[in-house]
Amino acid sequence: RGYTQMRFNQIVDGPADAATAPAAAGNDGPGGEAAESGLTVQLSREEWRYTFDAITDPVLILDTEMVVVRANRAASRLLAGNSDPVEGRTCHQLFAGSDAACRICPVRTVRRENTPHSQEITHRYLGRTFSVACSPITGDGAIIGYILSAKDISHQRNLERRLIHAHKLEAIATLAGGIAHDFNNILGAILGNADLLLFRLPPREPGDKPPLGPPITFAEVEEHVQAIKRAGTRAKDLVAQILAFSRQAKVDQVPLDP
């Protein structure tokens, strides 16, 4: 583990003698190769840090124990809520507020498969949804660390949920309009046949207004009653379909093409 940690530090921080190279350069003269090499390493490290902090998405460099070794500015801004340093803490402590690794940990997947892995994770601790990507850092054929990036897609997912909700409301409005139209047709049949019966019934009292047209026959009464019954049956079937659609009634399923 000591050798692995040393290789990891060399990859993250540069050669071990980078910091001491400028000091040693004094013995080689102003134009010595050591001074030039040390300055080059120092500038490279500064450029690396500037580039690392310029990434707008949070990026973490983890060791093999999932402890944060380096964090860019975006990660520190997101995860250092109480001004505590991000370095030295595990990724699950920062993202999930837990001392145990996440149940769907991408680092574990990368460790097991030794290939980059990406997935979407919602962390309730932070109240955000991230598109997480994790890649292994290898040295001498072994995994010595991980690169973890987390793109905040909470706003995008919220917009998608609102759009889906709007589509559901639109579908419900269309369904309600169709149901109202069907019920209106059924009520029209019921009320129309009832009015025809009332208009054709003979008067109860001698002074009552006589019915319109010839007196109604028993066959005509039966026809109007049957029409009212058929309309009521249609209404019953429509209610059954609505209950089946809302999954509040038991539905008998039969094959359509036996």
Side-chain angles (χ1 to χ4, degrees):
R1 172 171 170 79
Y3 174 74
T4 301
Q5 187 66 40
M6 182 183 67
R7 290 288 295 120
F8 180 73
N9 292 336
Q10 288 177 349
I11 292 176
V12 173
D13 295 328
D17 59 346
T20 61
N27 299 328
D28 296 338
E33 294 181 0
E36 184 177 355
S37 175
L39 180 60
T40 301
V41 171
Q42 183 178 359
L43 291 176
S44 297
R45 293 183 64 184
E46 290 179 356
E47 291 176 355
W48 177 89
R49 187 70 203 187
Y50 292 149
T51 304
F52 192 49
D53 284 337
I55 301 174
T56 57
D57 295 329
V59 180
L60 302 174
I61 300 178
L62 313 176
D63 64 10
T64 54
E65 301 299 326
M66 293 187 282
V67 176
V68 177
V69 179
R70 290 287 183 273
N72 69 344
R73 185 179 290 112
S76 299
R77 191 162 46 239
L78 172 69
L79 302 173
N82 54 359
S83 300
D84 291 337
V86 174
E87 288 80 2
R89 303 167 65 184
T90 61
C91 57
H92 42 83
Q93 287 176 334
L94 296 169
F95 282 96
S98 173
D99 292 331
C102 302
R103 183 176 57 86
I104 49 175
C105 177
V107 178
R108 285 181 171 179
T109 304
V110 173
R111 179 186 297 165
R112 182 175 61 254
E113 300 177 358
N114 197 16
T115 57
H117 177 74
S118 60
Q119 65 187 78
E120 183 175 314
I121 304 177
T122 299
H123 286 294
R124 295 182 179 179
Y125 178 72
L126 297 177
R128 304 190 184 195
T129 300
F130 298 94
S131 176
V132 179
C134 183
S135 299
I137 302 174
T138 58
D140 298 329
I143 295 179
I144 59 176
Y146 306 92
I147 296 287
L148 182 73
S149 65
K151 182 178 181 62
D152 189 352
I153 57 173
S154 304
H155 181 64
Q156 176 182 345
R157 291 294 176 261
N158 288 335
L159 290 178
E160 290 176 355
R161 282 192 288 268
R162 291 171 60 183
L163 181 61
I164 292 173
H165 182 65
H167 287 167
K168 288 182 178 179
L169 291 179
E170 183 180 355
I172 291 173
T174 303
L175 176 64
I179 293 172
H181 181 73
D182 290 343
F183 266 116
N184 187 58
N185 292 338
I186 293 171
L187 290 175
I190 293 174
L191 294 176
N193 282 280
D195 286 339
L196 289 175
L197 281 174
L198 291 174
F199 283 133
R200 298 288 300 282
L201 288 177
R204 284 187 174 183
E205 304 295 336
D208 290 345
K209 185 177 180 180
L212 298 176
I216 191 169
T217 63
F218 180 81
E220 290 176 324
V221 171
E222 182 181 11
E223 180 182 352
H224 289 304
V225 171
Q226 289 293 343
I228 293 174
K229 183 179 179 180
R230 288 193 298 270
T233 302
R234 286 171 53 200
K236 176 185 175 182
D237 294 340
L238 182 58
V239 170
Q241 294 176 16
I242 297 172
L243 292 177
F245 178 78
S246 62
R247 299 181 181 178
Q248 296 182 7
K250 184 178 179 180
V251 180
D252 295 329
Q253 298 181 357
V254 295
L256 297 178
D257 188 15

